[in-house]
């Protein structure tokens, strides 16, 4: 008897037919003798609908109340799913984050899971019920609902699989695996049979929305066998594991992230401690900085440019403007119309020339590069947002990733 964790995203439970279809599919696994824990997202675009509604009522809704609202999306899905099983004569129970006791950090809108009490779930499994858990939500130390960030249901599923020592964690979605690039954007994108945790983590962090990046982080940490597959067909999917078979490729995938803003602080004094002061200010606002570029000092001054997530752009700019004097800077400018394009692959570790090839293909497409950053297994460039899709296609073609 196996314990299977199965997560279904918004499209997969988007309407009545899909809910019944998912219920039938899980019922078959249950009838074969397996124990099933399901994790569900809100139906279709319900989370977007709720966010939009909140902003119609108040353009700047209190974060606590927003999370309170958003958790209703997932709660609707799990209750309906349990009703579907009841109609089929199969025992099941729906549980929200409170009932399971999913403890998270304090912060609303982007909380991290700290601990999951598994007693209730284990008890329900022992009585052979299918357990259906709300994704994306948790409870903080004030007994308030929190949410884990957009796409966070994947992380709920992996965390549950780790806590319950499940035999597998399947992420069912609207594509049939992880592709070399978003198959909705890049022509010829190819499905991968397997990919390593590290490569997947980079792709997810750099914009491949197919998995929430923290779910990959957790899967690696707890060695959870993770599979991404389609909820609409039986095709094999993509296995994410510690060491994936190398397909002889330099690059395994291309990702794009439009959720970024570039900030440039101009005319900073060229002396020790300046970068520290600037980034200390930003970090005190709880803002993550991504790419950083510092110009060579000239005439006693220098410029520092960096990128932050779009949601944090305004806060960062305001903080710098307020502190221009104490930072000894002349001015600050920003550009919200930018994207990051990354190529990722463990194969590039021992092969020089990947960055040059990336720059060449962008040059051939007439795409200008604003910033560059690299690691052992990735090259990232910042470009104008209007060029995003073209740049992805160009990089995908240049590295021979197509089918
Ligand atoms: P769900 O609601 O099931 O969580 P998401 O929309 O979060 O689904 O993730 C699936 C989507 O991720 C796909 O529809 C696809 O457009 C997008 N995507 C981005 N990059 C990739 C990739 N490399 N491979 C597969 N899908 C990708
Ligand atoms: N419903 C949430 C979202 O749309 C969480 C998820 O789907 O994973 O972001
Ligand atoms: Mg998702």
């Amino acid at each position: 008897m196996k314990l299977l964790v199965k997560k279904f995203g918004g499209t997969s439970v988007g309407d009545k037919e899909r809910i019944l279809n998912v219920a039938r599919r899980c019922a078959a696994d249950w009838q074969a003798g397996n124990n099933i824990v399901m994790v569900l997202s809100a139906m279709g675009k319900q989370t977007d609908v709720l966010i939009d509604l909140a902003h119609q009522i108040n353009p700047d809704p209190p974060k606590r109340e927003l999370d309170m609202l958003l958790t209703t999306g997932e709660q609707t899905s799990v209750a309906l799913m349990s009703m579907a099983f009841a109609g089929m004569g199969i025992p099941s129970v729906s549980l929200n984050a409170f009932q399971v006791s999913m403890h998270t950090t304090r912060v609303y809108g982007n909380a991290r899971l700290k601990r999951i009490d598994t007693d209730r779930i284990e008890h329900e499994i022992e009585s052979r019920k299918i357990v259906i858990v709300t994704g994306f939500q948790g409870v903080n130390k004030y007994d308030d609902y929190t949410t884990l960030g957009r796409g966070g249901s994947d992380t709920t599923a992996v965390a549950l699989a780790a806590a319950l020592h499940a035999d597998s964690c399947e992420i069912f979605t609207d594509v049939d695996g992880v592709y070399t690039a978003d198959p909705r954007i890049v022509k010829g994108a190819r499905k991968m049979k397997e990919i390593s945790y590290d490569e997947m983590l980079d792709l997810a962090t750099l914009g491949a929305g197919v998995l929430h990046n923290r779910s990959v982080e957790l899967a690696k940490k707890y060695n959870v066998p993770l599979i991404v597959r389609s909820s609409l067909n039986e095709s094999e999917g993509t296995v994410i594991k510690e060491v994936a078979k190398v397909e002889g490729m330099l690059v395994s995938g291309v990702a794009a992230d439009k959720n970024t803003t570039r900030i440039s602080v101009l005319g900073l004094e060229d002396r020790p401690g300046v970068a520290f002061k600037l980034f200390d200010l930003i970090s005190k606002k709880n803002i993550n900085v991504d790419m950083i570029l510092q110009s060579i000092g000239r005439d006693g001054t220098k410029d520092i440019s960096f990128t932050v997530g779009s949601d944090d752009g305004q806060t960062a700019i305001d903080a710098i403007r307020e502190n221009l004097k104490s930072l000894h800077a002349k001015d600050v400018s920003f550009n919200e119309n930018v994207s990051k394009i990354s190529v990722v692959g463990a194969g590039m570790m021992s092969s020089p020339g990947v960055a040059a090839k990336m720059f060449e293909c962008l040059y051939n497409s007439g795409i200008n590069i604003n910033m560059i950053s690299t690691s052992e297994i990735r090259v990232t460039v910042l470009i104008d947002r209007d060029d995003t899709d073209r740049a992805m296609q160009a990089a995908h073609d240049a590295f021979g990733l197509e089918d």
Side-chain angles (χ1 to χ4, degrees), residues 61 109 115 120 148 163 177 194-195 210 232 327-328 390 400 402:
R115 184 167 50 86
R120 174 79 191 264
L148 307 180
E194 45 185 62
I195 180 169
V210 63
L232 306 169
L327 289 170
H328 300 284
R390 255 174 1 104
E402 66 274 12

Side-chain angles (χ1 to χ4, degrees), residues 7 9 41 151 154 173 209-212:
K7 179 260 169 178
S41 293
D154 300 330
T173 184
V210 63
L211 280 178
H212 194 230

Side-chain angles (χ1 to χ4, degrees), residues 69-325:
L69 178 69
L70 296 189
T71 52
T72 63
E74 271 64 18
Q75 197 153 319
T76 304
S77 310
V78 295
L80 290 173
M81 187 62 74
S82 192
M83 291 175 199
F85 285 120
M88 298 161 70
I90 291 177
S92 70
V93 59
S94 64
L95 297 173
N96 66 18
F98 238 104
Q99 293 163 311
V100 173
S101 287
M102 301 236 186
H103 303 273
T104 71
T105 52
R106 218 162 17 99
V107 54
Y108 301 103
N110 195 21
R112 281 174 171 265
L113 280 169
K114 291 203 311 198
R115 184 167 50 86
I116 301 177
D117 296 343
T118 51
D119 295 0
R120 174 79 191 264
I121 297 181
E122 279 165 1
H123 171 75
E124 302 289 2
I125 291 174
E126 270 161 31
S127 56
R128 272 295 276 162
K129 283 186 191 151
I130 295 182
V131 183
I132 313 157
V133 182
T134 47
F136 180 52
Q137 57 182 253
V139 179
N140 70 12
K141 67 176 182 186
Y142 309 122
D143 274 356
D144 283 339
Y145 277 118
T146 53
T147 60
L148 307 180
R150 298 303 307 269
S153 297
D154 300 330
T155 298
T156 311
V158 173
L160 272 175
L164 295 164
H165 306 288
D167 293 281
S168 74
C169 180
E170 292 164 291
I171 307 290
F172 290 88
T173 184
D174 55 6
V175 284
D176 51 10
V178 179
Y179 281 68
T180 47
D182 188 336
R184 296 187 199 286
I185 295 174
V186 171
K187 267 193 274 151
R190 178 173 46 81
K191 187 172 90 181
M192 294 183 248
K193 257 189 159 21
E194 45 185 62
I195 180 169
S196 68
Y197 289 128
D198 286 335
E199 287 170 295
M200 190 65 236
L201 183 57
D202 266 356
L203 281 177
T205 306
L206 295 163
V210 63
L211 280 178
H212 194 230
N213 67 343
R214 286 215 289 276
S215 72
V216 187
E217 224 168 60
L218 278 184
K220 179 178 163 69
K221 184 166 175 193
Y222 295 103
N223 216 3
V224 174
L226 191 59
I227 304 158
V228 174
R229 53 194 306 194
S230 169
S231 63
L232 306 169
N233 63 49
E234 298 282 341
S235 105
E236 252 180 36
T238 302
V239 178
I240 298 123
K241 54 201 238 187
E242 188 60 46
V243 182
K245 271 202 204 93
V246 184
E247 292 179 16
M249 293 291 199
L250 279 180
V251 162
S252 54
V254 182
D257 188 356
K258 295 183 177 175
N259 174 27
T260 189
T261 293
R262 191 196 72 199
I263 298 177
S264 297
V265 189
L266 309 170
L268 285 155
E269 275 182 26
D270 188 20
R271 60 176 169 80
V274 166
F276 161 66
K277 262 199 162 170
L278 173 61
F279 291 113
D280 187 49
L281 173 72
I282 301 297
S283 87
K284 289 209 168 101
K285 298 278 172 194
N286 253 325
I287 295 174
N288 281 329
V289 170
D290 186 22
M291 302 167 95
I292 299 179
L293 183 76
Q294 174 174 307
S295 70
I296 290 183
R298 195 179 295 158
D299 301 330
T301 68
K302 63 187 174 190
D303 305 332
I304 295 182
S305 297
F306 59 95
T307 60
V308 296
S310 298
D311 291 348
D312 291 327
Q314 198 56 51
T315 315
I317 293 155
D318 291 347
I320 296 168
R321 279 220 175 101
E322 281 163 25
N323 290 281
L324 271 184
K325 267 217 174 92

